[in-house]
Amino acid sequence: MIAAELRPIVEHLPPRRPNADVAETRRAFRSLVAKSERPDPRIRTENFVANGVPITCFRPAEPRSAKRPIVVFMHGGGFVYGSAADASLSAASLVPELDATIISVEYRLAPEHLFPAGVEDCYAALVWTAANAEALGCDPSRLAVMGPSAGGCLAAATALLARDRGGPAIAFQCLQIPALDDRRTSHSARTVEDPRLIDAAAARATWDRYLGADRTNVSPYAAPLRAENLSGLPPAYIQTCEFDPYRDDGLDYARRLIEAGVSTELYNVPGSFHAFELFAPESTLARDTRAHWMAAMQRALG
């Protein structure tokens, strides 16, 4: 059952249109994200180009002598919408709480740019970040990747690419409500059917836009749950939501990481739905959830 404090919000949500016009979907998401954006004088914002990929750098306005951790952030938005400048699920607001620099990636979006465009952009940004960490006043040994939803998929895939290409060492991966398996055969992928939420139909449309409707031999860098070997990956934190078609993706990935010897923390939020924090950021459940993953990030990055 949806948590009591979230039920009034769900009751007023209109049915989603998984096959809506892409431009319309992007406008709706931008409007939703804009409601959570608040200027913060503690945060300095700069734009760079990282190996050909636009990025937004959020960092503390106040300099300090000690080096800070640095986080490569992949925004959510179903691989189709969102931007590096969005504060979606708190990219910018991580800065004061972690005392860290956040690199938010403007990866190419589907359906104009199918896989592997997005993940290659994220990997290019990771390589640039590792090479420029010290110039940004950061400690390259405290480099993390992070993202919600589609961003969680891209963060996991970027960690796989870094391992397999001998790329930058990643200290931690934080995967929030990640979409990790295009096959959609799990219990949650088949049974979450409320059209007001991200449900099974919405998940199907997401993968179709990212990979194309007709596909075979899907790469694990597109859908990380397809990876046969998860050993040698960075320690992980995975957050899932009870009424989320992607719930079992996260649960299965966490189990397989643990079996592969990767230190992993799993947090399933009862009574919640996909991206509920965007709709109810001031709810007790959202505050508690944020505190939980923030504590994990603080422990991992010191």
Side-chain angles (χ1 to χ4, degrees), residues 170-191:
I170 298 172
F172 193 63
Q173 54 180 325
C174 182
L175 314 179
Q176 299 164 297
I177 51 174
L180 299 169
D181 193 351
D182 66 295
R183 293 166 292 190
R184 309 182 321 279
T185 56
S186 71
H187 181 269
S188 64
R190 291 181 286 105
T191 59

Side-chain angles (χ1 to χ4, degrees), residues 32-272:
L32 175 63
V33 168
K35 294 177 183 178
S36 67
E37 292 179 344
R38 301 179 183 88
D40 189 331
R42 298 173 296 174
I43 300 171
R44 177 182 173 189
T45 303
E46 300 169 281
N47 295 310
F48 298 101
V49 177
N51 294 329
V53 180
I55 61 172
T56 298
C57 175
F58 301 106
R59 54 176 164 168
E62 292 295 328
R64 72 169 187 172
S65 56
K67 293 179 180 177
R68 294 180 163 98
I70 192 164
V71 180
V72 179
F73 184 91
M74 294 71 161
H75 68 78
F79 306 107
V80 172
Y81 37 94
S83 83
D86 289 339
S88 175
L89 294 189
S90 307
S93 65
L94 288 167
V95 172
E97 294 187 63
L98 290 177
D99 193 23
T101 292
I102 312 300
I103 301 295
S104 187
V105 186
E106 193 74 87
Y107 58 85
R108 285 169 289 175
L109 298 175
E112 295 89 346
H113 304 282
L114 299 179
F115 170 84
V119 70
E120 289 292 354
D121 288 350
C122 293
Y123 182 73
L126 173 75
V127 172
W128 182 93
T129 299
N132 290 275
E134 294 200 20
L136 292 170
C138 297
D139 180 356
S141 72
R142 292 191 288 161
L143 168 62
V145 294
M146 177 182 186
S149 192
C153 176
L154 292 167
T158 299
L160 284 167
L161 280 173
R163 180 198 66 180
D164 296 345
R165 293 179 178 176
I170 298 172
F172 193 63
Q173 54 180 325
C174 182
L175 314 179
Q176 299 164 297
I177 51 174
L180 299 169
D181 193 351
D182 66 295
R183 293 166 292 190
R184 309 182 321 279
T185 56
S186 71
H187 181 269
S188 64
R190 291 181 286 105
T191 59
V192 177
E193 296 183 331
D194 189 331
R196 298 168 297 180
L197 311 177
I198 297 291
D199 63 358
R204 180 173 60 253
T206 292
W207 285 111
D208 287 350
R209 283 173 171 158
Y210 183 46
L211 303 178
D214 299 317
R215 54 186 181 268
T216 56
N217 301 319
V218 173
S219 167
Y221 305 127
L225 205 52
R226 286 181 175 266
E228 294 183 2
N229 176 18
L230 298 183
S231 63
L233 288 169
Y237 176 95
I238 299 177
Q239 176 209 330
T240 59
C241 291
E242 183 177 1
F243 299 105
D244 184 349
Y246 302 128
R247 180 197 66 208
D248 293 347
D249 291 13
L251 299 181
D252 290 348
Y253 204 63
R255 174 185 57 79
R256 290 190 54 211
L257 284 170
I258 293 167
E259 290 173 353
V262 177
S263 179
T264 302
E265 181 174 359
L266 172 66
Y267 184 60
N268 181 62
V269 186
S272 66

